[in-house]
Amino acid sequence: MKYFGTDGFRGVANEGLNVDHAFKIGRFVGWYYGARQNRRARVVIGKDTRRSSYMFEAALISGLVASGADAHTLHVIPTPGVSYEVIHDNFDCGIMITASHNPYTDNGIKLVNKAGFKMDEEVLEQIEDYIDGKIEVPLATGDNIGRTVDYMQGRNRYIASLIASCDFSLQGIKIGLDCANGAAGSVAKPVFDALGAETHVIAKSPNGLNINVGCGSTHIETLQSYVVANGLDLGFAYDGDADRCLAVDEKGGLIDGDLILYLCGSYLNKHGRLAKSTVVPTVMSNFGLFRAFDELGIDYVKTDVGDKNVSACMRENGFNLGGEQSGHVIFGDFAATGDGILTSLRIMEVYRSERQPLSELVRPVSLYPQQLVNVRVTDKDAAMGAPEIAAAVKAAEDYLAGDGRVLVRASGTEPLVRVLAEAPTDEQCEAANKFVLDALEPYKE
C-alpha cells in the first residue's frame, strides 16, 4: 500500500502525514459507511497525548461531518479503548490518532472495523484511491451534514469493563505504573485504584511533547529503577497509546512479551482455559520460550512479525492467547486487540492466584542470548531467494545442533535483510550469524 502500513498511516506530523490526509480519510469514511448506503454513519474517535493529535482530530471530524457522519469523540484514550467502544456501542468503525511508541514529532491514523479489528485492506485501498483523487465523494448538505458528539461516557465504560474483568482484589499490593506521558494516564490509575492496589504512577504529566521521552515501554529502565528504589512488588510500563505492556518484577527484572506469554499461557493451560493448549507467538520470540512451552506440553503456532498476523492466526484457528516480544499481547477471551492495561490485569490475576513473586513465576524460562544484525543490500528479494543464503542458514543451524536457531527475514519497509541468531552464549550467536553474514557479502549495498 502507498499510505497505510501494518499499523495505520504514519509519518512525521504535517510532513509524511498531514491535515489534508486526515480530512480526506474522514471524508471517505463518513461517506463509505453512511451516505453511500443512504444512512448516517456513526464513527468513534480517540487520540493519544501528542500535540499534533488535536490537529488531526479536528481534521478528521471536519471530514466526517462534511460527509454526513456523526463523529463521537472519546478524547485521550488507549487504542484498545476505541476498539472496545466500536464493538460495544455498535459503531460503524473507529479511528485512533497515535504513533504508538514513536517520538512526539510523528503521528498516525489507525482505522478499526465494526468487529474491533484492524480495518480491512480493501477499504484502506479505496481510501488511498480517494486521497490520490481517483474516487469522488459528495459533500453532505442541509440536515444531512453530520454532527460532533462529546462521548466521554465511552471512556468511562471502557474503564469499567477493565475493572469488571477482574474477580480479585489487589489490596495490599504495591504497584508501579509508567504511563509514558501517553494515553494510559487517563485510564490505568483509576483501574488499579478501584481494585484496591497501592498505586505509584510515573510519567503521568503529558505536555504534548514528552510522550515516550525517557519513559514507557521503550525506556523500561526508568520503571526498573523506580520499582526497586520504592520497594514495590512489581510494575507495568505502557507505550504511548497503551496497546503494549512490559512488566518489571520486584528485583527490577524485565518481564517482556515472551515472558508474559509464558506466565499467562502456563497459568491458563493449568486451569484448562488455554484454547487448544496453544499460544501464538511470532517468529521473533525467544528460542527459550519455545523450549519452556515444550517442557510444559504447550503447543505454539509461530506467525510472521506484527500483531495483525498474530490476531489473524488466533481468529482463524480459535486460539485465545498470542503476542509479540515487544509486549503487544492479545487475550482473545477479553478483547479483539492488544491492550496494555488488560495485559497488566491478566498478569495480576496470575500473581494473586499463585501467590509468588513475579521473578519466581518466570524462573522456568531461560531466555537465550540474541544477536540481530541488519544488512543493507541492493536487492533484498534476490538475497532472500539465493540458494547460498539458504545453505548458510542450514550450516549455522547444524553448528547449533538444535540448541538455538538462525532466522533470516527481509525488512518490510527498507532494503535490509535481518539476521537473528539465538544460542546459549553470545559467542555461539556470533559464530552462527557469521555463516549467513559471510554469504550475504555479495549482496551488500
Side-chain angles (χ1 to χ4, degrees):
M1 287 191 176
K2 182 176 179 180
Y3 301 112
F4 288 91
T6 57
D7 209 15
F9 186 160
R10 282 198 192 175
V12 175
N14 273 349
E15 293 181 24
L17 170 65
N18 60 47
V19 289
D20 291 331
H21 294 134
F23 177 72
K24 288 180 178 178
I25 291 170
R27 286 272 285 115
F28 183 88
V29 167
W31 167 79
Y32 183 85
Y33 287 102
R36 183 181 70 95
Q37 304 174 46
N38 296 313
R39 56 188 293 273
R40 183 181 293 277
R42 294 175 68 248
V43 180
V44 64
I45 303 176
K47 64 176 181 282
D48 70 17
T49 58
R50 59 194 81 217
R51 180 175 289 180
S52 62
S53 291
Y54 296 80
M55 171 182 73
F56 288 121
E57 179 185 49
L60 283 161
I61 290 171
S62 296
L64 286 165
V65 300
S67 286
D70 288 345
H72 291 65
T73 56
L74 289 163
H75 306 286
V76 174
I77 191 172
T79 292
V82 173
S83 177
Y84 175 87
E85 281 306 316
V86 168
I87 297 169
H88 292 275
D89 201 9
N90 199 34
F91 284 98
D92 293 298
C93 74
I95 304 175
M96 179 66 187
I97 305 160
T98 181
S100 190
H101 57 281
N102 285 19
Y104 82 91
T105 49
D106 292 358
N107 216 325
I109 297 173
K110 297 181 182 181
L111 299 179
V112 177
N113 68 18
K114 192 175 183 67
F117 300 115
K118 291 187 177 181
M119 184 59 72
D120 313 77
E121 288 197 4
E122 62 184 52
V123 177
L124 298 180
E125 288 169 356
Q126 291 182 64
I127 293 173
E128 292 192 348
D129 285 344
Y130 175 63
I131 291 173
D132 287 338
K134 298 176 183 177
I135 298 175
E136 290 189 8
V137 171
L139 286 164
T141 58
D143 60 4
N144 290 321
I145 292 173
R147 61 189 179 129
T148 304
V149 179
D150 191 299
Y151 195 61
M152 282 291 290
Q153 70 266 32
R155 186 172 73 187
N156 294 336
R157 183 163 50 205
Y158 169 61
I159 291 172
S161 76
L162 290 168
I163 297 168
S165 76
C166 304
D167 59 358
F168 50 85
S169 168
L170 298 181
Q171 196 74 35
I173 301 177
K174 296 180 288 184
I175 300 173
L177 301 176
D178 183 340
C179 292
N181 291 315
S186 63
V187 174
K189 186 176 183 346
V191 169
F192 280 90
D193 285 349
L195 291 169
E198 181 184 317
T199 311
H200 302 252
V201 188
I202 58 175
K204 59 180 179 179
S205 303
N207 61 17
L209 309 178
N210 61 358
I211 187 170
N212 300 316
V213 177
C215 57
S217 61
T218 52
H219 295 278
I220 193 68
E221 65 279 0
T222 303
L223 181 62
Q224 288 174 303
S225 299
Y226 185 81
V227 166
V228 174
N230 291 276
L232 307 184
D233 295 307
L234 71 172
F236 300 106
Y238 309 108
D239 62 340
D241 67 332
D243 64 350
R244 299 183 187 185
C245 167
L246 295 179
V248 172
D249 67 29
E250 76 286 357
K251 301 176 182 178
L254 169 63
I255 310 296
D256 67 4
D258 284 345
L259 291 177
I260 292 171
L261 286 178
Y262 173 82
L263 184 77
C264 296
S266 58
Y267 174 79
L268 291 174
N269 195 56
K270 174 182 173 181
H271 293 277
R273 292 164 50 195
L274 182 64
K276 301 182 181 180
S277 292
T278 301
V279 177
V280 183
T282 74
V283 293
M284 295 297 285
S285 282
N286 194 281
F287 189 78
L289 174 66
F290 304 135
R291 293 289 293 269
F293 280 151
D294 289 339
E295 290 176 11
L296 290 177
I298 294 176
D299 292 329
Y300 44 89
V301 177
K302 292 182 274 188
T303 73
D304 199 1
V305 173
D307 62 283
K308 185 176 183 178
N309 297 314
V310 173
S311 176
C313 179
M314 291 173 64
R315 297 199 309 273
E316 290 165 10
N317 296 284
F319 303 136
N320 64 350
L321 178 64
E324 299 187 280
Q325 200 176 53
S326 61
H328 197 287
V329 182
I330 303 173
F331 292 87
D333 291 338
F334 293 90
T337 186
D339 185 328
I341 299 169
L342 179 67
T343 296
S344 55
L345 294 174
R346 303 283 60 84
I347 292 171
M348 291 311 304
E349 178 184 350
V350 180
Y351 182 86
R352 287 296 290 166
S353 177
E354 299 299 308
R355 298 187 180 277
Q356 294 184 59
L358 211 52
S359 61
E360 288 299 315
L361 292 171
V362 299
R363 185 180 292 277
V365 186
S366 297
L367 295 179
Y368 278 41
Q370 294 181 321
Q371 184 189 74
L372 175 65
V373 181
N374 293 319
V375 181
R376 187 168 290 273
V377 295
T378 53
D379 187 337
K380 61 186 177 184
D381 293 329
M384 290 300 297
E388 61 268 31
I389 303 302
V393 172
K394 185 179 185 306
E397 294 189 336
D398 288 344
Y399 162 75
L400 293 173
D403 199 16
R405 63 169 180 157
V406 173
L407 176 67
V408 181
R409 53 186 295 272
S411 166
T413 57
E414 300 176 90
L416 299 174
V417 171
R418 308 190 194 280
V419 185
L420 172 72
E422 291 179 319
T425 67
D426 291 325
E427 291 75 18
Q428 287 172 296
C429 284
E430 188 173 349
N433 259 352
K434 191 173 187 304
F435 286 96
V436 182
L437 296 176
D438 287 347
L440 280 170
E441 277 295 326
Y443 298 92
K444 289 176 70 173
E445 192 175 79

